[in-house]
Amino acid sequence: MKTFLIICDGLGDRPIAQFDSQTPLEAAYTPNLDKLAEGGVTGVMHTVDIGVRPGSDTAHLALFGYDPNVYYPGRGPLEVAGIGMEIKPGDICFRANMATVDDDMIVKDRRAGRIGDASPFAEKLNGIKIDGVEFLAGAGTGHRLGLIMRGPGLSPQLTDVDSKKVGVKARKFESADKSREAKFTAEVLNKFLEQAHLKLNKMELNRERVSQGKLPANYLLVRGAGIFREVPSFYDKYGLKAACVAGGGLYKGIAGILGMDVVAVEGATGKPDTDIKAKINKAIELGKEYNFVFVHIKGADTMGEDGDPEGKKKFIEKIDEAMAPMLNLTDSLVVVTADHSTPCVLKNHSADDVPVLISGESVRHDDVKQFGERPCAKGRLGHIRGSHLMPIIIDLMGLAKMFGA
Ligand code: ZN
């Protein structure tokens, strides 16, 4: 038996006036999702906890059964893992932007004119050693970069220096606590940023950019410090061989840290133009080799953050269309839910619960025949937490250990 877990990012929403006070999911035409709901059990879920506005990262950890209060490493390690850099326990990881500063270290552009490929710059900076600390750099998408500090006596307790503004001086890191480790980390990182600036300024590629009237990528805006600690793998925890189909780096990073195999799918972009059909078809194919396949679909969240209910509704209809082959699976559980709500009226995440459906031949049914926030609130699962989802799945797969005798 195998499970397909489809997480539609930011799917949940609030009533939209132009939809007669329905949510985008309720208003959308979703015959396939509705059939899945009809052929299974439904409910609503607070992914992290009641009243908690989850980030996508903490919510995903919770859905996979990893308490984010224990296992959340901060954004840096997840981003670094997401771009495929190898990380080791104890590494201090950051996300970074290639940026432009002038001779007085005033930030001119936070993305160096949105350079398309940071790899030549990452290569230049990769492997620099300062005071026994090795710096590893890897290119992410566009102007983004992953940065690792590796060495003894480091701490992620650093102040946030990215002012998110242009026209201000690039700030230096300071320790956020009184520990010797944090002070040392801040000092070494500041030295590295200075060296990096000098090296980048001298790069032929940047001289060319300047002569073409473009902004040089001559500085790193670094943020999201986190320390990577070993996490029990998904396989060790559940005995499931798991694969991940996702476009966005963060989701690949989370899957990677849990030891899932991250499988590339052509057309999976992590953006609203993503090829959802290709992702679902790939997932079904992977079901022959894996007994747990996680599919992440980002678009609904993006539409929510844009405050675009019509776009969100249309994107949900695209998800629904792509889900058609999931109706014909045998010996499988199909689970569809979200990591959090992203109401269009808020243009941000909210603490509202999300609908969840678990469909499969052996799953007890309820009377819910539509996938939506309101219908699912009447479902048999009732109101669960994200931490309940994996135990329910494991039991339905026939893998749960008995409590007692
Ligand atoms: Zn999310």
Side-chain angles (χ1 to χ4, degrees):
M1 193 165 183
K2 51 197 169 281
T3 292
F4 298 91
L5 171 59
I6 321 295
I7 300 184
C8 307
D9 207 298
L11 179 68
D13 212 298
R14 290 182 180 174
I16 305 287
Q18 72 208 63
F19 296 155
D20 244 350
S21 291
Q22 294 184 94
T23 66
L25 175 59
E26 289 163 2
Y29 176 63
T30 55
N32 295 314
L33 290 167
D34 295 347
K35 266 187 212 125
L36 286 168
E38 193 175 350
V41 65
T42 63
V44 294
M45 175 164 67
H46 275 97
T47 52
V48 175
D49 210 343
I50 294 173
V52 176
R53 272 181 65 214
S56 292
D57 41 17
T58 50
H60 275 76
L61 283 173
L63 290 173
F64 293 132
Y66 292 77
D67 181 354
N69 296 301
V70 176
Y71 292 110
Y72 182 54
R75 194 69 181 245
L78 299 176
E79 294 277 345
V80 162
I83 64 176
M85 292 175 76
E86 201 195 322
I87 48 179
K88 294 184 176 170
D91 281 353
I92 309 295
C93 307
F94 306 85
R95 53 206 295 229
N97 280 7
M98 293 304 310
T100 307
V101 293
D102 68 11
D103 293 342
D104 300 318
M105 301 302 283
I106 305 290
V107 179
K108 289 284 165 201
D109 191 308
R110 296 187 63 257
R111 300 176 187 90
R114 282 199 180 273
I115 51 162
D117 178 16
S119 357
F121 307 104
E123 255 166 58
K124 190 83 190 165
L125 303 175
N126 193 41
I128 292 179
K129 271 192 185 157
I130 301 169
D131 297 342
V133 178
E134 187 178 17
F135 287 83
L136 302 160
T141 47
H143 56 276
R144 294 183 193 88
L145 209 89
L147 184 70
I148 297 175
M149 290 177 80
R150 183 172 292 163
L154 298 174
S155 161
Q157 297 301 324
L158 302 174
T159 51
D160 192 3
V161 299
D162 186 2
S163 64
K164 307 247 159 84
K165 287 182 195 137
V166 291
V168 295
K169 204 169 163 113
R171 291 186 287 186
K172 287 196 187 303
F173 277 95
E174 284 170 42
S175 55
D177 65 18
K178 292 198 167 81
S179 70
R180 194 169 4 142
E181 287 81 6
K183 195 164 166 268
F184 172 67
T185 308
E187 276 168 17
V188 178
L189 181 55
N190 288 330
K191 282 186 198 170
F192 167 77
L193 292 175
E194 237 177 86
Q195 272 196 30
H197 173 56
L198 294 175
K199 270 188 194 276
L200 291 168
N201 249 350
K202 281 190 201 141
M203 271 178 83
E204 190 54 40
L205 185 57
N206 268 331
R207 288 195 183 147
E208 267 169 40
R209 286 181 66 84
V210 173
S211 70
Q212 291 162 358
K214 291 179 187 164
L215 291 166
N218 65 1
Y219 195 69
L220 288 182
L221 280 175
V222 175
R223 63 190 192 281
I227 186 164
F228 175 62
R229 292 195 183 88
E230 202 126 38
V231 175
S233 76
F234 197 78
Y235 182 81
D236 286 346
K237 202 169 158 75
Y238 301 114
L240 294 174
K241 199 174 167 219
C244 157
V245 173
L250 177 64
Y251 311 95
K252 295 186 208 172
I254 293 168
I257 277 180
L258 302 184
M260 295 182 188
D261 285 342
V262 179
V263 179
V265 178
E266 207 169 319
T269 59
K271 300 202 183 92
D273 68 350
T274 193
D275 189 343
I276 311 172
K277 281 186 185 164
K279 288 166 85 169
I280 296 294
N281 291 335
K282 186 68 177 183
I284 292 172
E285 195 189 311
L286 288 166
K288 294 183 187 123
E289 211 187 314
Y290 294 85
N291 48 10
F292 188 93
V293 185
F294 153 51
V295 182
H296 178 265
I297 303 172
K298 182 74 180 169
D301 178 60
T302 312
M303 302 297 185
E305 287 191 335
D306 289 347
D308 176 6
E310 196 57 52
K312 190 164 175 178
K313 174 171 161 259
K314 285 205 181 100
F315 188 82
I316 292 166
E317 289 174 346
K318 253 174 79 179
I319 298 178
D320 183 80
E321 223 185 298
M323 287 295 288
M326 287 270 167
L327 296 176
N328 308 319
L329 298 173
T330 51
D331 206 23
S332 303
L333 291 178
V334 178
V335 183
V336 186
T337 188
D339 55 345
H340 52 79
S341 298
T342 306
C344 294
V345 291
L346 288 186
K347 299 184 177 182
N348 210 330
H349 301 187
S350 74
D352 295 298
D353 57 37
V354 298
V356 53
L357 75 81
I358 304 177
S359 189
E361 294 149 308
S362 58
V363 180
R364 295 201 293 194
H365 296 184
D366 54 27
D367 293 328
V368 175
K369 293 180 170 55
Q370 188 195 344
F371 187 53
E373 292 87 337
R374 190 192 310 233
C376 287
K378 299 196 188 87
R380 180 195 285 277
L381 278 176
H383 180 186
I384 61 171
R385 306 287 184 279
S387 59
H388 295 136
L389 187 65
M390 279 310 299
I392 293 170
I393 290 172
I394 291 295
D395 180 51
L396 289 169
M397 291 179 85
L399 300 171
K401 287 199 187 87
M402 200 190 298
F403 177 46

